Amino acid sequence: MAVIFNKKFAQLILLVVITSLMVGVLSISAQMIRPLVFIALFLIISGLVISYRERMIYLFIIYLAFIGLIRRALIPIAGWSSFDPLLILIPIFTVILAILMFWEHKNNPHEQREKPDKLMALLFGMSCIHIINPLTLGLVASMFILIPWLWYYISFFKFNKTMIKHIMNTIELLGVIIALYGLYQSFFGLLPFEMDWVNISGYAALYLAEDTVRAIGTFPSAHEFVYFITITFSISFARMIVDRFKIIHALVSITALTAIILAGSRMVIFFICLAIFMVIVITRKRLIARVSAGVIVAIGFIILWSTFPQINPAWFGSAEPVIKHVIGGLADPLSEEQTGIGHIERVVDGAKNIYTNPFGNGIASITKAADKAETSQSMSTEIDISNMIVALGLGGIIYMVVIGITIYRSIWLIYHQRQMEHVVTLGILISTLGQWLNGGFYLTPMIVWLFVGWIHKEYMLQRGGEYAFNGD
């Protein structure tokens, strides 16, 4: 074993040296730096994928968690480009891993023939057909839709409870680091090269006031930063309730929630509250305890909501514009001064699309790909359920059924097994409702759908075991 390990390690070192020399020789032009970094990383990760296959998920999560910061840090030496090959690195390896996984599963007669959910296969097939609408943009859009669903299958066939726990640990550790960096941005502003990116890209949505830019963490967008930290909060809060090291998880939860609030996001806070309610209630063992916990938590949220108007944003110093923005939206989300009604109208308009175009507008219509074309514009409604109706028409109804089934299976597993991993997964699924798929996110949909795949696998195994035990 040591000989094999040393041989693999020596091969990896040699590959690193060769690629480093290649980058050093060829990176004379600044325009070549990003492609050359991509080539170097591709060669190195290729060697690792051959040996470690789906266990590369940890490296993929780390890479995508910092890809925004990496791309912005390259601006002073490599300039900026709307198309960056660094963004397609993990999607390429996801496709490679999926092909290898399906091939091995098909050609291994001794492997148990687990069957993923048929509705997922139907959704995947419908989306593949919609790639051709139009083809060029559809291929780009597949990175945001099909790639996360490939992780559903990789997780279903290859991940076990131990790997899922390690993934949770990885996300929680990364999340607290990135949340702290986001808090630094909230109080002290973005670094110079990050502000260069804001000005070059024209990211106007980052400005909450004339001189106040919301935190973006290490992600390509502030929106995905918030949802990654939301996943971090869901993991740490659920583990605080049902796992060991409660103080550590509590500190992570507080840090994550503070970063979310100071990032100026409001809608996600509603789903975080819903996730807190679900996790606390569902982890009680008896019915009376669940009802009591539900009532107490609901009263707590009502009292908290009633105190919002009494909070003075000036108490928070440089974060005053952000706090004012958040409190205004939470205290009266449907007022004319807020954007709540506009969000609801976009969702409703997207849902109505099923009557005007029951076959959908194609997956490109709800992603960034549409904005890159001169003849089209993104039709995103900001919520994945209505987005999928816009993209797939009647397929959006199937998507809603998949969401409902997945949440039901998570709850069923908690009731029958009460394992920490199932509780955490439910918290993630509830807190990210509406953003399981997003046409502008690179990492968080991948995380959500690998948990969905694992839950479907766990449910199948437990139901199968129960039926076998009962003789059904």
Side-chain angles (χ1 to χ4, degrees), residues 96-126:
I96 293 172
L97 283 174
I99 292 173
L100 291 173
M101 181 268 297
F102 282 121
W103 179 260
E104 291 173 355
H105 188 73
K106 179 181 178 181
N107 290 278
N108 187 352
H110 302 293
E111 189 171 341
Q112 183 180 354
R113 295 300 180 187
E114 303 95 350
K115 295 182 180 179
D117 196 287
K118 293 180 180 178
L119 290 179
M120 277 302 304
L122 180 58
L123 271 177
F124 192 87
M126 293 177 68

PDB file of all heavy atoms in Angstrom, residues 96-126:
ATOM      1  N   ILE A  96     -17.318  13.942 -16.201  1.00  0.00           N
ATOM      2  CA  ILE A  96     -16.395  12.800 -16.273  1.00  0.00           C
ATOM      3  C   ILE A  96     -16.706  11.797 -15.172  1.00  0.00           C
ATOM      4  O   ILE A  96     -16.784  10.573 -15.410  1.00  0.00           O
ATOM      5  CB  ILE A  96     -14.933  13.284 -16.177  1.00  0.00           C
ATOM      6  CG1 ILE A  96     -14.546  14.097 -17.410  1.00  0.00           C
ATOM      7  CG2 ILE A  96     -13.987  12.087 -15.998  1.00  0.00           C
ATOM      8  CD1 ILE A  96     -13.188  14.759 -17.314  1.00  0.00           C
ATOM      9  N   LEU A  97     -16.886  12.284 -13.939  1.00  0.00           N
ATOM     10  CA  LEU A  97     -17.199  11.397 -12.818  1.00  0.00           C
ATOM     11  C   LEU A  97     -18.526  10.677 -13.025  1.00  0.00           C
ATOM     12  O   LEU A  97     -18.646   9.485 -12.714  1.00  0.00           O
ATOM     13  CB  LEU A  97     -17.251  12.198 -11.518  1.00  0.00           C
ATOM     14  CG  LEU A  97     -15.917  12.588 -10.893  1.00  0.00           C
ATOM     15  CD1 LEU A  97     -16.153  13.494  -9.689  1.00  0.00           C
ATOM     16  CD2 LEU A  97     -15.136  11.355 -10.470  1.00  0.00           C
ATOM     17  N   ALA A  98     -19.510  11.386 -13.558  1.00  0.00           N
ATOM     18  CA  ALA A  98     -20.822  10.776 -13.788  1.00  0.00           C
ATOM     19  C   ALA A  98     -20.732   9.673 -14.835  1.00  0.00           C
ATOM     20  O   ALA A  98     -21.319   8.598 -14.667  1.00  0.00           O
ATOM     21  CB  ALA A  98     -21.823  11.848 -14.228  1.00  0.00           C
ATOM     22  N   ILE A  99     -19.988   9.919 -15.910  1.00  0.00           N
ATOM     23  CA  ILE A  99     -19.825   8.907 -16.952  1.00  0.00           C
ATOM     24  C   ILE A  99     -19.130   7.674 -16.387  1.00  0.00           C
ATOM     25  O   ILE A  99     -19.558   6.529 -16.625  1.00  0.00           O
ATOM     26  CB  ILE A  99     -19.039   9.486 -18.146  1.00  0.00           C
ATOM     27  CG1 ILE A  99     -19.873  10.554 -18.865  1.00  0.00           C
ATOM     28  CG2 ILE A  99     -18.641   8.378 -19.125  1.00  0.00           C
ATOM     29  CD1 ILE A  99     -19.113  11.292 -19.945  1.00  0.00           C
ATOM     30  N   LEU A 100     -18.061   7.884 -15.628  1.00  0.00           N
ATOM     31  CA  LEU A 100     -17.340   6.761 -15.025  1.00  0.00           C
ATOM     32  C   LEU A 100     -18.243   5.991 -14.058  1.00  0.00           C
ATOM     33  O   LEU A 100     -18.232   4.758 -14.028  1.00  0.00           O
ATOM     34  CB  LEU A 100     -16.104   7.275 -14.285  1.00  0.00           C
ATOM     35  CG  LEU A 100     -14.971   7.837 -15.142  1.00  0.00           C
ATOM     36  CD1 LEU A 100     -13.893   8.462 -14.265  1.00  0.00           C
ATOM     37  CD2 LEU A 100     -14.365   6.751 -16.032  1.00  0.00           C
ATOM     38  N   MET A 101     -19.020   6.726 -13.287  1.00  0.00           N
ATOM     39  CA  MET A 101     -19.896   6.100 -12.302  1.00  0.00           C
ATOM     40  C   MET A 101     -20.980   5.262 -12.973  1.00  0.00           C
ATOM     41  O   MET A 101     -21.215   4.107 -12.598  1.00  0.00           O
ATOM     42  CB  MET A 101     -20.515   7.171 -11.407  1.00  0.00           C
ATOM     43  CG  MET A 101     -21.438   6.657 -10.325  1.00  0.00           C
ATOM     44  SD  MET A 101     -23.168   6.597 -10.870  1.00  0.00           S
ATOM     45  CE  MET A 101     -23.497   8.331 -11.183  1.00  0.00           C
ATOM     46  N   PHE A 102     -21.636   5.822 -13.989  1.00  0.00           N
ATOM     47  CA  PHE A 102     -22.676   5.074 -14.694  1.00  0.00           C
ATOM     48  C   PHE A 102     -22.085   3.842 -15.392  1.00  0.00           C
ATOM     49  O   PHE A 102     -22.707   2.778 -15.419  1.00  0.00           O
ATOM     50  CB  PHE A 102     -23.375   5.971 -15.714  1.00  0.00           C
ATOM     51  CG  PHE A 102     -24.384   6.907 -15.115  1.00  0.00           C
ATOM     52  CD1 PHE A 102     -24.255   8.288 -15.281  1.00  0.00           C
ATOM     53  CD2 PHE A 102     -25.448   6.438 -14.368  1.00  0.00           C
ATOM     54  CE1 PHE A 102     -25.179   9.153 -14.724  1.00  0.00           C
ATOM     55  CE2 PHE A 102     -26.380   7.294 -13.806  1.00  0.00           C
ATOM     56  CZ  PHE A 102     -26.248   8.655 -13.990  1.00  0.00           C
ATOM     57  N   TRP A 103     -20.906   3.984 -15.971  1.00  0.00           N
ATOM     58  CA  TRP A 103     -20.267   2.866 -16.677  1.00  0.00           C
ATOM     59  C   TRP A 103     -19.925   1.739 -15.698  1.00  0.00           C
ATOM     60  O   TRP A 103     -20.194   0.566 -15.969  1.00  0.00           O
ATOM     61  CB  TRP A 103     -19.012   3.364 -17.387  1.00  0.00           C
ATOM     62  CG  TRP A 103     -18.280   2.279 -18.120  1.00  0.00           C
ATOM     63  CD1 TRP A 103     -17.162   1.598 -17.715  1.00  0.00           C
ATOM     64  CD2 TRP A 103     -18.624   1.716 -19.395  1.00  0.00           C
ATOM     65  NE1 TRP A 103     -16.789   0.669 -18.644  1.00  0.00           N
ATOM     66  CE2 TRP A 103     -17.668   0.719 -19.694  1.00  0.00           C
ATOM     67  CE3 TRP A 103     -19.647   1.972 -20.309  1.00  0.00           C
ATOM     68  CZ2 TRP A 103     -17.712  -0.022 -20.871  1.00  0.00           C
ATOM     69  CZ3 TRP A 103     -19.687   1.234 -21.484  1.00  0.00           C
ATOM     70  CH2 TRP A 103     -18.730   0.249 -21.750  1.00  0.00           C
ATOM     71  N   GLU A 104     -19.331   2.094 -14.560  1.00  0.00           N
ATOM     72  CA  GLU A 104     -18.975   1.082 -13.567  1.00  0.00           C
ATOM     73  C   GLU A 104     -20.221   0.403 -13.002  1.00  0.00           C
ATOM     74  O   GLU A 104     -20.235  -0.813 -12.799  1.00  0.00           O
ATOM     75  CB  GLU A 104     -18.175   1.731 -12.430  1.00  0.00           C
ATOM     76  CG  GLU A 104     -16.789   2.200 -12.850  1.00  0.00           C
ATOM     77  CD  GLU A 104     -16.100   2.973 -11.752  1.00  0.00           C
ATOM     78  OE1 GLU A 104     -16.745   3.224 -10.700  1.00  0.00           O
ATOM     79  OE2 GLU A 104     -14.932   3.351 -11.935  1.00  0.00           O
ATOM     80  N   HIS A 105     -21.251   1.187 -12.748  1.00  0.00           N
ATOM     81  CA  HIS A 105     -22.476   0.627 -12.189  1.00  0.00           C
ATOM     82  C   HIS A 105     -23.141  -0.335 -13.173  1.00  0.00           C
ATOM     83  O   HIS A 105     -23.647  -1.385 -12.788  1.00  0.00           O
ATOM     84  CB  HIS A 105     -23.441   1.762 -11.837  1.00  0.00           C
ATOM     85  CG  HIS A 105     -24.649   1.300 -11.074  1.00  0.00           C
ATOM     86  ND1 HIS A 105     -24.594   0.920  -9.760  1.00  0.00           N
ATOM     87  CD2 HIS A 105     -25.945   1.148 -11.449  1.00  0.00           C
ATOM     88  CE1 HIS A 105     -25.797   0.563  -9.345  1.00  0.00           C
ATOM     89  NE2 HIS A 105     -26.639   0.687 -10.346  1.00  0.00           N
ATOM     90  N   LYS A 106     -23.103   0.018 -14.445  1.00  0.00           N
ATOM     91  CA  LYS A 106     -23.735  -0.827 -15.461  1.00  0.00           C
ATOM     92  C   LYS A 106     -22.983  -2.134 -15.659  1.00  0.00           C
ATOM     93  O   LYS A 106     -23.594  -3.184 -15.906  1.00  0.00           O
ATOM     94  CB  LYS A 106     -23.796  -0.060 -16.780  1.00  0.00           C
ATOM     95  CG  LYS A 106     -24.420  -0.858 -17.922  1.00  0.00           C
ATOM     96  CD  LYS A 106     -24.432  -0.046 -19.215  1.00  0.00           C
ATOM     97  CE  LYS A 106     -25.019  -0.866 -20.364  1.00  0.00           C
ATOM     98  NZ  LYS A 106     -25.018  -0.108 -21.639  1.00  0.00           N
ATOM     99  N   ASN A 107     -21.662  -2.092 -15.531  1.00  0.00           N
ATOM    100  CA  ASN A 107     -20.842  -3.264 -15.848  1.00  0.00           C
ATOM    101  C   ASN A 107     -20.407  -4.061 -14.626  1.00  0.00           C
ATOM    102  O   ASN A 107     -19.553  -4.930 -14.734  1.00  0.00           O
ATOM    103  CB  ASN A 107     -19.595  -2.812 -16.628  1.00  0.00           C
ATOM    104  CG  ASN A 107     -19.931  -2.329 -18.028  1.00  0.00           C
ATOM    105  OD1 ASN A 107     -20.086  -3.119 -18.955  1.00  0.00           O
ATOM    106  ND2 ASN A 107     -20.055  -1.016 -18.176  1.00  0.00           N
ATOM    107  N   ASN A 108     -20.989  -3.748 -13.472  1.00  0.00           N
ATOM    108  CA  ASN A 108     -20.672  -4.506 -12.263  1.00  0.00           C
ATOM    109  C   ASN A 108     -21.879  -5.353 -11.882  1.00  0.00           C
ATOM    110  O   ASN A 108     -22.826  -4.861 -11.269  1.00  0.00           O
ATOM    111  CB  ASN A 108     -20.305  -3.558 -11.123  1.00  0.00           C
ATOM    112  CG  ASN A 108     -19.810  -4.315  -9.893  1.00  0.00           C
ATOM    113  OD1 ASN A 108     -19.868  -5.557  -9.832  1.00  0.00           O
ATOM    114  ND2 ASN A 108     -19.329  -3.579  -8.908  1.00  0.00           N
ATOM    115  N   PRO A 109     -21.892  -6.627 -12.248  1.00  0.00           N
ATOM    116  CA  PRO A 109     -23.070  -7.473 -11.989  1.00  0.00           C
ATOM    117  C   PRO A 109     -23.297  -7.751 -10.519  1.00  0.00           C
ATOM    118  O   PRO A 109     -24.396  -8.122 -10.117  1.00  0.00           O
ATOM    119  CB  PRO A 109     -22.733  -8.772 -12.734  1.00  0.00           C
ATOM    120  CG  PRO A 109     -21.238  -8.803 -12.778  1.00  0.00           C
ATOM    121  CD  PRO A 109     -20.802  -7.374 -12.896  1.00  0.00           C
ATOM    122  N   HIS A 110     -22.266  -7.558  -9.678  1.00  0.00           N
ATOM    123  CA  HIS A 110     -22.397  -7.868  -8.259  1.00  0.00           C
ATOM    124  C   HIS A 110     -22.888  -6.684  -7.447  1.00  0.00           C
ATOM    125  O   HIS A 110     -23.187  -6.815  -6.271  1.00  0.00           O
ATOM    126  CB  HIS A 110     -21.043  -8.332  -7.701  1.00  0.00           C
ATOM    127  CG  HIS A 110     -20.499  -9.530  -8.413  1.00  0.00           C
ATOM    128  ND1 HIS A 110     -21.089 -10.772  -8.342  1.00  0.00           N
ATOM    129  CD2 HIS A 110     -19.423  -9.669  -9.239  1.00  0.00           C
ATOM    130  CE1 HIS A 110     -20.404 -11.636  -9.086  1.00  0.00           C
ATOM    131  NE2 HIS A 110     -19.394 -10.995  -9.634  1.00  0.00           N
ATOM    132  N   GLU A 111     -22.946  -5.505  -8.061  1.00  0.00           N
ATOM    133  CA  GLU A 111     -23.380  -4.312  -7.345  1.00  0.00           C
ATOM    134  C   GLU A 111     -24.903  -4.284  -7.221  1.00  0.00           C
ATOM    135  O   GLU A 111     -25.619  -4.640  -8.151  1.00  0.00           O
ATOM    136  CB  GLU A 111     -22.887  -3.056  -8.088  1.00  0.00           C
ATOM    137  CG  GLU A 111     -23.102  -1.779  -7.296  1.00  0.00           C
ATOM    138  CD  GLU A 111     -22.402  -0.605  -7.965  1.00  0.00           C
ATOM    139  OE1 GLU A 111     -21.504  -0.845  -8.788  1.00  0.00           O
ATOM    140  OE2 GLU A 111     -22.780   0.539  -7.667  1.00  0.00           O
ATOM    141  N   GLN A 112     -25.363  -3.876  -6.064  1.00  0.00           N
ATOM    142  CA  GLN A 112     -26.799  -3.796  -5.837  1.00  0.00           C
ATOM    143  C   GLN A 112     -27.426  -2.807  -6.817  1.00  0.00           C
ATOM    144  O   GLN A 112     -26.918  -1.728  -7.044  1.00  0.00           O
ATOM    145  CB  GLN A 112     -27.088  -3.343  -4.400  1.00  0.00           C
ATOM    146  CG  GLN A 112     -28.576  -3.304  -4.073  1.00  0.00           C
ATOM    147  CD  GLN A 112     -28.820  -2.853  -2.653  1.00  0.00           C
ATOM    148  OE1 GLN A 112     -27.884  -2.672  -1.892  1.00  0.00           O
ATOM    149  NE2 GLN A 112     -30.073  -2.671  -2.293  1.00  0.00           N
ATOM    150  N   ARG A 113     -28.552  -3.179  -7.414  1.00  0.00           N
ATOM    151  CA  ARG A 113     -29.184  -2.350  -8.435  1.00  0.00           C
ATOM    152  C   ARG A 113     -30.162  -1.367  -7.812  1.00  0.00           C
ATOM    153  O   ARG A 113     -31.370  -1.550  -7.850  1.00  0.00           O
ATOM    154  CB  ARG A 113     -29.886  -3.244  -9.469  1.00  0.00           C
ATOM    155  CG  ARG A 113     -28.924  -4.118 -10.262  1.00  0.00           C
ATOM    156  CD  ARG A 113     -27.926  -3.262 -11.024  1.00  0.00           C
ATOM    157  NE  ARG A 113     -26.994  -4.067 -11.795  1.00  0.00           N
ATOM    158  CZ  ARG A 113     -25.946  -3.594 -12.444  1.00  0.00           C
ATOM    159  NH1 ARG A 113     -25.694  -2.311 -12.401  1.00  0.00           N
ATOM    160  NH2 ARG A 113     -25.149  -4.391 -13.130  1.00  0.00           N
ATOM    161  N   GLU A 114     -29.613  -0.330  -7.181  1.00  0.00           N
ATOM    162  CA  GLU A 114     -30.494   0.705  -6.656  1.00  0.00           C
ATOM    163  C   GLU A 114     -31.056   1.505  -7.827  1.00  0.00           C
ATOM    164  O   GLU A 114     -30.412   1.685  -8.846  1.00  0.00           O
ATOM    165  CB  GLU A 114     -29.735   1.641  -5.705  1.00  0.00           C
ATOM    166  CG  GLU A 114     -29.080   0.934  -4.533  1.00  0.00           C
ATOM    167  CD  GLU A 114     -27.626   0.598  -4.781  1.00  0.00           C
ATOM    168  OE1 GLU A 114     -27.179   0.749  -5.934  1.00  0.00           O
ATOM    169  OE2 GLU A 114     -26.954   0.162  -3.840  1.00  0.00           O
ATOM    170  N   LYS A 115     -32.271   1.971  -7.654  1.00  0.00           N
ATOM    171  CA  LYS A 115     -32.917   2.720  -8.714  1.00  0.00           C
ATOM    172  C   LYS A 115     -33.271   4.114  -8.225  1.00  0.00           C
ATOM    173  O   LYS A 115     -34.082   4.259  -7.309  1.00  0.00           O
ATOM    174  CB  LYS A 115     -34.174   1.984  -9.194  1.00  0.00           C
ATOM    175  CG  LYS A 115     -33.875   0.649  -9.858  1.00  0.00           C
ATOM    176  CD  LYS A 115     -35.152  -0.014 -10.347  1.00  0.00           C
ATOM    177  CE  LYS A 115     -34.846  -1.352 -11.021  1.00  0.00           C
ATOM    178  NZ  LYS A 115     -36.080  -2.025 -11.493  1.00  0.00           N
ATOM    179  N   PRO A 116     -32.680   5.139  -8.818  1.00  0.00           N
ATOM    180  CA  PRO A 116     -33.038   6.517  -8.450  1.00  0.00           C
ATOM    181  C   PRO A 116     -34.494   6.804  -8.773  1.00  0.00           C
ATOM    182  O   PRO A 116     -35.156   6.049  -9.489  1.00  0.00           O
ATOM    183  CB  PRO A 116     -32.095   7.366  -9.318  1.00  0.00           C
ATOM    184  CG  PRO A 116     -31.002   6.440  -9.744  1.00  0.00           C
ATOM    185  CD  PRO A 116     -31.622   5.089  -9.824  1.00  0.00           C
ATOM    186  N   ASP A 117     -34.983   7.899  -8.246  1.00  0.00           N
ATOM    187  CA  ASP A 117     -36.369   8.283  -8.461  1.00  0.00           C
ATOM    188  C   ASP A 117     -36.654   8.463  -9.950  1.00  0.00           C
ATOM    189  O   ASP A 117     -35.902   9.121 -10.674  1.00  0.00           O
ATOM    190  CB  ASP A 117     -36.656   9.585  -7.710  1.00  0.00           C
ATOM    191  CG  ASP A 117     -38.136   9.844  -7.561  1.00  0.00           C
ATOM    192  OD1 ASP A 117     -38.764  10.185  -8.564  1.00  0.00           O
ATOM    193  OD2 ASP A 117     -38.655   9.697  -6.445  1.00  0.00           O
ATOM    194  N   LYS A 118     -37.748   7.870 -10.435  1.00  0.00           N
ATOM    195  CA  LYS A 118     -38.091   7.955 -11.852  1.00  0.00           C
ATOM    196  C   LYS A 118     -38.427   9.380 -12.278  1.00  0.00           C
ATOM    197  O   LYS A 118     -38.198   9.765 -13.427  1.00  0.00           O
ATOM    198  CB  LYS A 118     -39.265   7.026 -12.160  1.00  0.00           C
ATOM    199  CG  LYS A 118     -38.927   5.546 -12.014  1.00  0.00           C
ATOM    200  CD  LYS A 118     -40.128   4.670 -12.327  1.00  0.00           C
ATOM    201  CE  LYS A 118     -39.769   3.198 -12.187  1.00  0.00           C
ATOM    202  NZ  LYS A 118     -40.941   2.310 -12.446  1.00  0.00           N
ATOM    203  N   LEU A 119     -38.989  10.165 -11.360  1.00  0.00           N
ATOM    204  CA  LEU A 119     -39.296  11.545 -11.694  1.00  0.00           C
ATOM    205  C   LEU A 119     -38.020  12.342 -11.947  1.00  0.00           C
ATOM    206  O   LEU A 119     -38.000  13.239 -12.793  1.00  0.00           O
ATOM    207  CB  LEU A 119     -40.103  12.195 -10.570  1.00  0.00           C
ATOM    208  CG  LEU A 119     -41.540  11.694 -10.385  1.00  0.00           C
ATOM    209  CD1 LEU A 119     -42.200  12.414  -9.222  1.00  0.00           C
ATOM    210  CD2 LEU A 119     -42.341  11.894 -11.672  1.00  0.00           C
ATOM    211  N   MET A 120     -36.933  12.017 -11.225  1.00  0.00           N
ATOM    212  CA  MET A 120     -35.659  12.690 -11.468  1.00  0.00           C
ATOM    213  C   MET A 120     -35.127  12.348 -12.854  1.00  0.00           C
ATOM    214  O   MET A 120     -34.609  13.212 -13.570  1.00  0.00           O
ATOM    215  CB  MET A 120     -34.637  12.275 -10.406  1.00  0.00           C
ATOM    216  CG  MET A 120     -34.739  13.051  -9.113  1.00  0.00           C
ATOM    217  SD  MET A 120     -34.557  14.842  -9.322  1.00  0.00           S
ATOM    218  CE  MET A 120     -32.977  14.943 -10.131  1.00  0.00           C
ATOM    219  N   ALA A 121     -35.274  11.085 -13.242  1.00  0.00           N
ATOM    220  CA  ALA A 121     -34.841  10.682 -14.577  1.00  0.00           C
ATOM    221  C   ALA A 121     -35.653  11.403 -15.650  1.00  0.00           C
ATOM    222  O   ALA A 121     -35.118  11.840 -16.682  1.00  0.00           O
ATOM    223  CB  ALA A 121     -34.975   9.168 -14.740  1.00  0.00           C
ATOM    224  N   LEU A 122     -36.952  11.567 -15.400  1.00  0.00           N
ATOM    225  CA  LEU A 122     -37.815  12.266 -16.348  1.00  0.00           C
ATOM    226  C   LEU A 122     -37.411  13.733 -16.456  1.00  0.00           C
ATOM    227  O   LEU A 122     -37.321  14.290 -17.560  1.00  0.00           O
ATOM    228  CB  LEU A 122     -39.274  12.143 -15.914  1.00  0.00           C
ATOM    229  CG  LEU A 122     -40.318  12.818 -16.804  1.00  0.00           C
ATOM    230  CD1 LEU A 122     -40.249  12.267 -18.222  1.00  0.00           C
ATOM    231  CD2 LEU A 122     -41.719  12.631 -16.222  1.00  0.00           C
ATOM    232  N   LEU A 123     -37.170  14.387 -15.317  1.00  0.00           N
ATOM    233  CA  LEU A 123     -36.731  15.780 -15.319  1.00  0.00           C
ATOM    234  C   LEU A 123     -35.411  15.952 -16.050  1.00  0.00           C
ATOM    235  O   LEU A 123     -35.236  16.885 -16.848  1.00  0.00           O
ATOM    236  CB  LEU A 123     -36.571  16.280 -13.876  1.00  0.00           C
ATOM    237  CG  LEU A 123     -37.779  16.901 -13.184  1.00  0.00           C
ATOM    238  CD1 LEU A 123     -37.418  17.266 -11.755  1.00  0.00           C
ATOM    239  CD2 LEU A 123     -38.263  18.121 -13.931  1.00  0.00           C
ATOM    240  N   PHE A 124     -34.492  15.048 -15.774  1.00  0.00           N
ATOM    241  CA  PHE A 124     -33.176  15.125 -16.414  1.00  0.00           C
ATOM    242  C   PHE A 124     -33.314  14.970 -17.927  1.00  0.00           C
ATOM    243  O   PHE A 124     -32.699  15.713 -18.699  1.00  0.00           O
ATOM    244  CB  PHE A 124     -32.257  14.040 -15.849  1.00  0.00           C
ATOM    245  CG  PHE A 124     -30.813  14.208 -16.215  1.00  0.00           C
ATOM    246  CD1 PHE A 124     -29.989  15.001 -15.431  1.00  0.00           C
ATOM    247  CD2 PHE A 124     -30.280  13.587 -17.335  1.00  0.00           C
ATOM    248  CE1 PHE A 124     -28.649  15.164 -15.773  1.00  0.00           C
ATOM    249  CE2 PHE A 124     -28.952  13.744 -17.677  1.00  0.00           C
ATOM    250  CZ  PHE A 124     -28.124  14.531 -16.888  1.00  0.00           C
ATOM    251  N   GLY A 125     -34.141  14.022 -18.342  1.00  0.00           N
ATOM    252  CA  GLY A 125     -34.343  13.814 -19.777  1.00  0.00           C
ATOM    253  C   GLY A 125     -34.995  15.013 -20.449  1.00  0.00           C
ATOM    254  O   GLY A 125     -34.590  15.421 -21.556  1.00  0.00           O
ATOM    255  N   MET A 126     -35.996  15.600 -19.806  1.00  0.00           N
ATOM    256  CA  MET A 126     -36.661  16.771 -20.365  1.00  0.00           C
ATOM    257  C   MET A 126     -35.690  17.941 -20.504  1.00  0.00           C
ATOM    258  O   MET A 126     -35.697  18.665 -21.503  1.00  0.00           O
ATOM    259  CB  MET A 126     -37.845  17.173 -19.485  1.00  0.00           C
ATOM    260  CG  MET A 126     -38.991  16.178 -19.475  1.00  0.00           C
ATOM    261  SD  MET A 126     -40.323  16.671 -18.347  1.00  0.00           S
ATOM    262  CE  MET A 126     -40.941  18.135 -19.194  1.00  0.00           C
TER     263      MET A 126
END
